[in-house]
Amino acid sequence: MELRVNPGPAEVRLPEAPTTGYLWTLADPPPGVSLIRSDYVPPPDDKVGGQGERVFHFDVSSPGRYDLDFHLGRATQAETAERRTVTLIAER
């Protein structure tokens, strides 16, 4: 997936249902991108066990192409259930 952003604040949203124990984590971001924080946003209907979104908030320091590697897994398991690469394309 590719996202076009301006240098400065940017966010990536991934579907997540934390009650399953599977959570998204970010491998080390590349130089030029800093992770500010991540938040979980519950589904609009707020159903227990429903799927919401994990929102990663970044600061992109300059124009460029940045690959971000995300892993979905459980803290108690070494295996990754899913991997996603999101490419931020920062342009002025």
Side-chain angles (χ1 to χ4, degrees):
M1 170 174 33
E2 291 184 351
L3 295 175
R4 294 193 180 278
V5 300
N6 293 317
E11 63 181 44
V12 172
R13 294 174 172 262
L14 298 172
E16 184 180 273
T19 57
T20 64
Y22 287 93
L23 305 174
W24 286 104
T25 57
L26 171 70
D28 292 328
V33 177
S34 300
L35 176 64
I36 306 299
R37 71 179 193 280
S38 75
D39 302 309
Y40 175 72
V41 178
D45 54 13
D46 209 21
K47 285 185 181 177
V48 174
Q51 182 171 300
E53 292 181 310
R54 173 66 52 186
V55 182
F56 291 88
H57 301 270
F58 298 98
D59 181 53
V60 181
S61 65
S62 59
R65 183 181 179 98
Y66 305 98
D67 290 329
L68 305 175
D69 293 317
F70 295 93
H71 304 263
L72 181 66
R74 290 181 167 161
T76 58
Q77 296 175 342
E79 293 181 21
T80 297
E82 185 177 344
R83 293 174 193 251
R84 287 198 188 172
T85 299
V86 176
T87 301
L88 297 180
I89 300 171
E91 302 172 328
R92 292 196 188 264

